[in-house]
Amino acid sequence: MKEGWKSLAEYINIALPKGRLGEKAYDIFESIGYGCPSIREQNRKLIFENEENGVRYFWVKPSDVAVYVERGAADVGIVGKDILLEQGSDVYELLDLGIGKCRMAVAGLKGTRVHSDHTLRVATKFPNIAREYFRGQSQEIEIIKLHGSIEIAPILNMSDVIVDIVETGTTLKENNMEPLEDIVQISARLIANKAGYKFKNRQIREMCEKIAALREGKE
Ligand SMILES: Nc1ncnc2c1ncn2[C@@H]1O[C@H](COP(=O)(O)OP(=O)(O)OP(=O)(O)O)[C@@H](O)[C@H]1O
Ligand SMILES: O=P(O)(O)OC[C@H]1O[C@H](OP(=O)(O)OP(=O)(O)O)[C@H](O)[C@@H]1O
């Protein structure tokens, strides 16, 4: 093996979320020396590796990142806190990366009252977060599970409110809705498989330290 090149067992396997977080997530790894130039090519490949840097990247759906990491198919991954809360993933949360910042909120058509004696119909992609929140408020709810375009539900009177991500508030505003109650602040996290963190402790800690230093340099 060439000097400095890694054996397969030493590879760090990284699950990256496709979509809005993906590029920013990869940029972080590239900035700290874990680049894999072929990943920038526009193609349909899902696995990229750089033998020299000892890294292998997988592009997966954002909501699947924690599954790959929990099962050890990936050693580390980048995932929104919303997904971790919703899935209750059994992984180590190593760093808040300060990207993908938004909040989880209850929202509805302007003037909607959240609390009443009636069962509140809640449309959401995040049933566990919604249930937990309204349990804490002693508000009876019925969950309507959707996978996107959640804001439509109250407009069509299919739900009374939604529980969804709000960033700029534009989607709510343009659909005549408003945030009613904030539930939790969200940002992207670096997570690690629990066993992998033990076996590849030196490499993963080194990676964390470099990311933390990068973040400090930017603040
Ligand atoms: N409008 C937003 N602004 C900032 N961050 C967001 C926003 N929407 C989602 N996020 C964050 O980015 C992560 C990925 O969101 P994205 O929209 O790319 O995936 P998705 O389509 O929800 O995922 P999936 O296809 O797996 O359901 C979310 O888990 C959340 O943490
Ligand atoms: O406050 P804003 O800046 O408008 O962002 C919030 C919107 O972003 C997300 O939707 P996404 O674009 O992921 O589409 P989706 O409907 O498929 O979830 C989220 O579900 C909101 O609809």
Side-chain angles (χ1 to χ4, degrees):
M1 202 190 319
K2 274 200 214 165
E3 186 87 16
W5 288 48
K6 307 277 193 295
S7 78
L8 275 181
E10 284 179 293
Y11 265 71
I12 299 237
N13 297 294
I14 303 173
L16 290 175
K18 288 185 196 174
R20 73 172 82 226
L21 277 182
E23 286 279 312
K24 283 187 196 157
Y26 172 69
D27 288 347
I28 291 177
F29 290 111
E30 191 179 56
S31 308
I32 58 160
Y34 296 83
C36 181
S38 58
I39 212 167
R40 301 273 190 204
E41 291 163 10
Q42 297 291 324
N43 58 35
R44 298 281 302 162
K45 270 179 70 170
L46 297 172
I47 301 183
F48 294 87
E49 63 184 53
N50 184 338
E51 204 177 341
E52 199 170 353
N53 287 342
V55 284
R56 189 186 292 118
Y57 291 96
F58 314 133
W59 283 120
V60 306
K61 265 180 91 74
S63 50
D64 291 339
V65 167
V67 179
Y68 283 84
V69 173
E70 194 169 6
R71 291 184 159 267
D75 301 306
V76 298
I78 289 187
V79 61
K81 180 72 179 175
D82 49 321
I83 306 289
L84 295 177
L85 291 171
E86 180 59 27
Q87 299 180 351
S89 315
D90 187 20
V91 294
Y92 289 135
E93 200 179 303
L94 301 178
L95 282 177
D96 182 340
L97 297 170
I99 57 171
K101 284 188 181 175
C102 49
R103 65 193 204 271
M104 187 68 65
V106 183
L109 294 174
K110 287 193 177 142
T112 301
R113 277 186 48 216
V114 177
H115 300 280
S116 72
D117 295 338
H118 300 292
T119 300
L120 190 74
R121 296 168 304 158
V122 182
T124 187
K125 236 170 123 168
F126 304 95
N128 292 327
I129 294 176
R131 264 192 215 103
E132 170 87 14
Y133 177 71
F134 285 110
R135 190 180 304 126
Q137 310 269 311
S138 302
Q139 172 65 50
E140 287 253 355
I141 60 164
E142 176 196 351
I143 293 282
I144 300 162
K145 169 84 183 153
L146 297 174
H147 296 91
S149 302
I150 318 292
E151 291 84 357
I152 294 178
I155 297 173
L156 303 179
N157 193 23
M158 191 167 85
S159 78
D160 300 305
V161 295
I162 64 171
V163 164
D164 198 16
I165 279 168
V166 180
E167 185 195 11
T168 59
T170 309
T171 312
L172 290 179
K173 206 177 280 170
E174 293 191 357
N175 290 287
N176 199 28
M177 295 171 70
E178 61 183 3
L180 301 168
E181 291 176 8
D182 285 351
I183 299 180
V184 63
Q185 295 295 320
I186 303 291
S187 56
R189 308 298 159 103
L190 178 72
I191 57 168
N193 172 267
K194 288 190 165 174
Y197 187 71
K198 236 184 254 162
F199 296 124
K200 297 184 184 174
N201 191 264
R202 185 187 52 77
Q203 294 112 297
I204 295 176
R205 283 198 11 215
E206 204 175 291
M207 175 182 276
C208 274
E209 280 161 19
K210 287 180 181 166
I211 297 176
L214 178 78
R215 289 216 56 208
E216 274 163 31
K218 280 187 179 162
E219 272 161 15

